[in-house]
Amino acid sequence: MRDTRLIVALDTQDPETAKGWAEAVGASAGAVKLGLEFAYAAGMEEIASIAAQYPVFLDLKLHDIPNTVAGAIRSLARIRPVLLTIHASGGRSMIAAARKALDEAFPADARPVLLAVTVLTSLDEAELQEMGISDSVEDQVLRLARMALDAGADGLVCSAHELAALRQAFGDKPVLVTPGIRPAGTIAGDQKRIMTPSQAREAGADWIVVGRPITEALDPSTAAAAIVAELKA
Ligand code: C5P
């Protein structure tokens, strides 16, 4: 069975809150996720300070012309995230430029895993159609995934319900990272199509991303440890 690891999403604007959560889950989580909310509120220095202590999944979903994305990645070299996201819809040359910049700006043994986001799970077929995409969501996910992996991405961020199809299409090698995970008995909140940690592991996730079931728990440390115990069971 796959060795599926836990990423804890630190969705806050406040550096002290983020650091408190990181400390609480540090023993269980393989990484903590910081995204746009934290970056814009707290700034990159706070991200660098957390990344100096904990492995950081930097979820900035970069999407711009290749030269600009490459420059952004060079600017992130001092932060040393372990995982980094870009939008697959930026296209082949943007993804290839991102990969090249990572290879050049980071030491080989500390290069972040490059993850592509395919179709945002907030989009449905009606919204895709409005943007000129007449394929089903699943076909579009597979198309963008194929291009991204071919252009140099190491893996994908995907919904739990896309895991099986992606494993079938691309095999074991791509790193698959999956949010929308809820341990049995916790509140789904705004997540609609959820899976439990063990279901996601069985479906082929390398990493699961869990936020509020841990950060809103009375004891985040225990909540994170329980999820890791489920993943190892
Ligand atoms: O609190 P919760 O476990 O729902 O947090 C999940 C994290 O994963 C959040 O940071 C959210 O932005 C992110 N995410 C998601 N669904 C996606 C992509 C990212 O929930 N499709």
Side-chain angles (χ1 to χ4, degrees):
M1 187 62 80
R2 193 171 292 276
D3 175 24
T4 305
R5 287 185 286 169
L6 171 67
I7 295 169
V8 179
L10 307 183
D11 290 321
T12 175
Q13 301 184 352
D14 177 45
E16 295 318 310
T17 303
K19 287 175 187 166
W21 286 338
E23 197 185 327
V25 304
S28 317
V32 294
K33 180 169 93 74
L34 295 168
L36 292 170
E37 179 182 6
F38 190 78
Y40 290 142
M44 298 311 289
E45 289 319 310
E46 292 291 353
I47 293 183
S49 136
I50 294 174
Q53 280 187 282
Y54 305 95
V56 163
F57 170 15
L58 193 51
D59 186 19
L60 299 179
K61 297 191 178 69
L62 301 176
H63 188 176
D64 209 313
I65 60 170
N67 188 53
T68 300
V69 167
I73 286 174
R74 286 193 291 274
S75 300
L76 294 173
R78 72 197 163 85
I79 293 177
R80 301 279 178 97
V82 295
L83 303 125
L84 179 70
T85 50
I86 56 174
H87 269 291
S89 53
R92 174 178 294 276
S93 46
M94 187 203 83
I95 297 161
R99 175 59 189 271
K100 184 161 179 277
L102 281 174
D103 287 337
E104 288 170 359
F106 287 79
D109 59 354
R111 177 174 79 71
V113 172
L114 182 62
L115 298 171
V117 174
T118 58
V119 178
L120 293 172
T121 50
S122 53
L123 295 173
D124 58 16
E125 259 147 51
E127 265 187 292
L128 284 182
Q129 278 217 335
E130 196 177 13
M131 295 190 292
I133 297 157
S134 50
D135 282 338
S136 68
V137 172
E138 190 187 337
D139 285 349
Q140 181 68 359
V141 167
L142 287 171
R143 167 179 293 127
L144 289 175
R146 179 167 291 111
M147 178 193 67
L149 295 171
D150 193 51
D154 300 299
L156 306 159
V157 179
C158 65
S159 104
H161 295 270
E162 293 160 1
L163 284 166
L166 290 167
R167 282 284 174 230
Q168 200 186 355
F170 306 114
D172 259 350
K173 190 158 169 253
V175 178
L176 298 184
V177 178
T178 303
I181 303 297
R182 289 293 177 267
T186 60
I187 298 160
D190 52 4
Q191 296 282 10
K192 290 193 184 100
R193 301 177 65 223
I194 55 178
M195 273 194 191
T196 66
S198 47
Q199 285 170 335
R201 181 190 60 177
E202 277 156 35
D206 292 297
W207 295 88
I208 59 167
V209 180
V210 184
R212 289 160 293 177
I214 293 171
T215 57
E216 291 180 359
L218 283 178
D219 180 355
S221 172
T222 305
I227 290 173
V228 170
E230 180 179 336
L231 289 173
K232 289 195 190 313

